[in-house]
Amino acid sequence: MGPIVSQPEPLTGRGMAWGGLIGLVRHAISTAMNPDNDLPNHFELLATDGAARTGRLTTPHGVVRTPAFMPVGTAGAMKGMHWREVRDAGADIVLGNTYHLMLRPGAERIAALGGLQTFTGWNGPMLTDSGGFQVMSLADLRKVSEHAVTFRSHIDGAKVELSPERSIEVQRLLGSDIAMQMDECVRLPAERADIERAMQLSLRWAERSKRAFASAPDGYMLFGIVQGGDVPQLRHASAQGLVEIGFHGYAIGGLAVGEPQAVMLAMIDETGPLLPKQRPRYLMGVGTPDDILEAVKRGVDMFDCVMPTRNGRHGVAFTRFGQVNLRNARHADDPRPLDEESSWPSTRSCARAYLHHLVKAGETLGAMLLSEINVAYYQSLMQGIRDAIAQGKFEEFYRRTREDWARGDIAPR
């Protein structure tokens, strides 16, 4: 991967470029005169500790405590888990996938059956992505134009067109509390020209997405998505353009797509200060507990990732000791639980030997137990983060959590 393009020298002192100064002044005046285009704000910032924030996001289906981690139910189901377990683990909000749900069972069918919450039985806040990630991940099956993305369905090969307008229409039919603008995400590393083209296209699609969302009922939200890859100047242009358009919240997209963690964190550092403090900030597709802790430290409010359930299906548990691989033979004769101090029943009661047996035998129950254990750990981590920020003790929590991870799992018997 090529080096990160360095940020231009600060526009201060005698070396200030007049063109840059004029642009900054215009942006400041525009934002001051019309912050977020006077959109209603459903986010309440309750406390800060350094850049870390805790707040409350009110949706038509309930309140989301932030920082929040959204477990991913791609096709309207949490793999290996019942929705009540997701709720009992502490999740306030989950994520659904526009692309997959529009193909099967179909957005119109879900709408006729009462919307995604009623259809699934989740009945809580839900965010849907726009399908933009599939623009990247299904590269061999799609074609991007100014108007739309044309897919070949991975199910039956049928031709499907997804435009910003259709993406919003599908998300409104699903009835999600938070919809995402249509965007194009570029896998890193990539050439700057490709990153800039996708970023500019995403800005134009952002405007179209907002126009298409204009008729949504009060209380429902649309988030814009900052693109720009690993190029600071492009991240700045994207963030400023989105703020001028105005959204209920702002996501940082196009990260955790192949770049090192240091690059991801650098792009958060570049982007966060440009986003309105009074609006929620969402880092898409992230990630590991370490990624989340570092991003919270930089002012991010919302996260999602398939990792808790995907790793659970592959025999890996997340605990306060870090990741524990239950396939390892060291667990075969160990009657101890993963963490006897955990608040989650399966984490403190299931013997490592039993979990090891289930994983090695390929029993579905093993994937189910580890998935719920992992989702519960992520939610426990988020609750600890929220409490620490509210008490002004985030740095202490950050240090203690990292020390626990560094010590690693308990010694074998």
Side-chain angles (χ1 to χ4, degrees):
M1 178 175 178
I4 302 173
V5 179
S6 61
Q7 185 176 356
E9 291 185 6
L11 299 177
T12 57
R14 295 179 179 177
M16 179 179 289
W18 281 104
L21 174 60
I22 292 171
L24 288 174
V25 170
R26 284 176 177 169
H27 174 69
I29 293 173
S30 172
T31 302
M33 292 179 62
N34 199 16
D36 296 308
N37 288 355
D38 297 323
L39 286 173
N41 189 14
H42 306 290
F43 179 65
E44 181 183 3
L45 192 59
L46 298 177
T48 61
D49 188 359
R53 302 139 51 97
T54 185
R56 181 167 48 221
L57 182 62
T58 302
T59 80
H61 287 90
V63 172
V64 178
R65 299 164 295 171
T66 65
F69 178 81
M70 299 179 283
V72 177
T74 300
M78 198 64 53
K79 284 184 170 61
M81 294 183 67
H82 194 285
W83 289 117
R84 65 172 172 267
E85 293 171 332
V86 179
R87 176 69 80 185
D88 290 347
D92 292 335
I93 182 171
V94 299
L95 183 144
N97 186 280
T98 293
Y99 169 81
H100 288 281
L101 290 168
M102 72 179 285
L103 294 182
R104 185 170 56 194
E108 283 77 10
R109 176 172 290 157
I110 291 175
L113 292 168
L116 194 53
Q117 280 92 341
T118 300
F119 181 64
T120 62
W122 164 247
N123 291 325
M126 186 175 287
L127 178 148
T128 47
D129 65 9
S130 67
F133 183 77
Q134 278 67 40
V135 175
M136 178 190 73
S137 64
L138 302 177
D140 295 337
L141 303 173
R142 53 80 170 167
K143 179 180 178 182
V144 181
S145 70
E146 180 70 31
H147 171 67
V149 180
T150 303
F151 292 91
R152 287 290 177 184
S153 167
H154 68 285
I155 298 172
D156 57 9
K159 185 178 179 180
V160 181
E161 183 179 271
L162 187 62
S163 66
E165 292 79 12
R166 176 57 177 163
S167 173
I168 296 300
E169 180 186 25
V170 169
Q171 293 180 81
R172 292 302 313 126
L173 287 167
L174 296 175
S176 59
D177 300 80
I178 303 172
M180 303 301 299
Q181 71 146 105
M182 183 75 175
D183 68 327
E184 183 183 0
C185 178
V186 176
R187 187 177 296 279
L188 299 176
E191 296 295 328
R192 175 172 174 144
D194 290 336
I195 297 171
E196 184 167 10
R197 178 200 56 76
M199 183 274 288
Q200 295 288 0
L201 178 62
S202 295
L203 274 179
R204 295 192 294 274
W205 283 358
E207 292 183 298
R208 289 168 58 186
S209 296
K210 184 176 180 182
R211 288 196 296 270
F213 192 80
S215 61
D218 292 343
Y220 290 86
M221 287 168 268
L222 177 67
F223 283 18
I225 305 175
V226 178
Q227 290 292 348
D230 55 359
V231 184
Q233 294 93 332
L234 299 182
R235 287 281 170 182
H236 298 171
S238 179
Q240 291 171 357
L242 290 172
V243 172
E244 289 172 2
I245 295 169
F247 291 90
H248 298 99
Y250 296 88
I252 303 173
L255 296 174
V257 290
E259 81 285 358
Q261 186 197 52
V263 174
M264 179 186 75
L265 298 179
M267 293 304 100
I268 297 172
D269 287 335
E270 294 287 346
T271 305
L274 300 175
L275 301 178
K277 291 182 179 179
Q278 73 276 18
R279 302 284 176 172
R281 303 166 180 172
Y282 165 30
L283 180 59
M284 303 183 73
V286 175
T288 66
D290 181 38
D291 290 338
I292 290 172
L293 194 63
E294 291 294 340
V296 167
K297 188 176 182 180
R298 291 161 170 81
V300 176
D301 306 302
M302 299 170 66
F303 305 87
D304 81 278
C305 191
V306 299
M307 194 168 288
T309 51
R310 176 176 290 174
N311 282 28
R313 295 195 302 276
H314 289 86
V316 176
F318 288 98
T319 76
R320 64 188 172 98
F321 308 118
Q323 295 188 44
V324 179
N325 186 354
L326 272 303
R327 292 185 175 276
N328 195 308
R330 62 168 282 190
H331 304 291
D333 297 306
D334 195 335
R336 297 173 297 178
L338 282 166
D339 183 358
E340 61 186 10
E341 296 181 14
S342 172
S343 62
W344 188 250
S346 299
T347 310
R348 67 173 185 268
S349 63
C350 290
R352 290 165 179 253
Y354 183 51
L355 292 172
H356 171 79
H357 160 69
L358 293 175
V359 170
K360 295 295 285 185
E363 287 288 342
T364 303
L365 180 59
M368 293 169 61
L369 286 170
L370 289 174
S371 293
E372 68 173 71
I373 285 168
N374 289 348
V375 169
Y377 173 73
Y378 269 66
Q379 296 304 326
S380 174
L381 176 66
M382 303 316 293
Q383 184 62 59
I385 287 171
R386 291 191 294 265
D387 290 344
I389 296 171
Q391 296 165 12
K393 297 180 178 180
F394 177 73
E395 282 298 327
E396 178 183 337
F397 179 87
Y398 174 92
R399 175 185 52 77
R400 186 174 67 251
T401 300
R402 297 198 67 84
E403 287 175 352
D404 285 343
W405 292 339
R407 275 197 296 269
D409 194 16
I410 56 178
R413 289 179 67 90

